[in-house]
């Protein structure tokens, strides 16, 4: 295992612990991570997150899930369209929505 692989492994292990995080920041990081895909299709990705919306959990797993969902939304949306990431507190939970403008919907 080379030093880069070891650093990556250590990073993933250390970030596997549940922690308190701000969702708007996480949404922004995921958008930045997908910037190549976003630019390639001319997609606009809007973030609409309730101020100071925090959650406690595994940040690595949340980012991984969001990247998959947003990448899918980008991939199947028409060029030059919009994808929105919404975050809202609802009673005792947090709702996260990924909204795209694809021609075929998924039930």
């Amino acid at each position: 295992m080379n030093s880069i692989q070891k650093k990556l492994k250590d990073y993933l292990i250390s970030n596997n612990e549940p922690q308190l995080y701000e969702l708007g920041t996480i949404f922004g990081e995921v958008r930045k991570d997908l910037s190549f895909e976003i630019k390639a299709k001319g997609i606009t990705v809007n973030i609409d997150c309730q101020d100071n919306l925090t959650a406690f959990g595994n940040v690595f797993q949340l980012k991984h899930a969001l990247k998959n969902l947003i990448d899918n939304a980008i991939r199947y949306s028409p060029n030059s369209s919009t994808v929105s990431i919404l975050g809202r507190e609802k009673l005792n939970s947090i709702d996260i929505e990924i909204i795209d403008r694809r021609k075929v919907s998924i039930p």
Side-chain angles (χ1 to χ4, degrees):
M1 179 180 302
N2 67 35
S3 65
I4 293 174
Q5 289 171 324
K6 182 176 178 353
K7 286 180 182 179
L8 178 60
K9 180 182 174 191
D10 292 344
Y11 173 79
L12 293 177
I13 290 170
S14 69
N15 283 299
N16 224 6
E17 294 297 319
Q19 54 188 299
L20 187 65
Y21 52 87
E22 201 272 320
L23 283 173
T25 300
I26 300 299
F27 296 164
E29 290 172 3
V30 171
R31 178 174 58 186
K32 183 178 176 184
D33 291 346
L34 293 170
S35 62
F36 178 79
E37 293 83 351
I38 292 166
K39 288 178 186 175
K41 288 200 69 177
I43 301 281
T44 300
V45 177
N46 294 323
I47 296 174
D48 181 8
C49 187
Q50 184 178 330
D51 289 339
N52 302 315
L53 184 60
T54 57
F56 184 79
N58 185 306
V59 176
F60 178 76
Q61 289 178 347
L62 176 64
K63 282 184 178 181
H64 185 71
L66 286 171
K67 281 182 189 177
N68 286 337
L69 290 168
I70 298 165
D71 183 54
N72 189 52
I74 293 165
R75 183 174 295 138
Y76 295 104
S77 289
N79 289 350
S80 303
S81 62
T82 301
V83 171
S84 298
I85 308 167
L86 310 176
R88 297 278 180 265
E89 187 172 9
K90 302 271 180 141
L91 296 176
N92 293 327
S93 67
I94 295 173
D95 285 353
I96 297 173
E97 294 181 68
I98 311 300
I99 301 170
D100 59 33
R101 309 299 185 264
R102 68 180 75 198
K103 294 179 182 176
V104 178
S105 63
I106 299 173

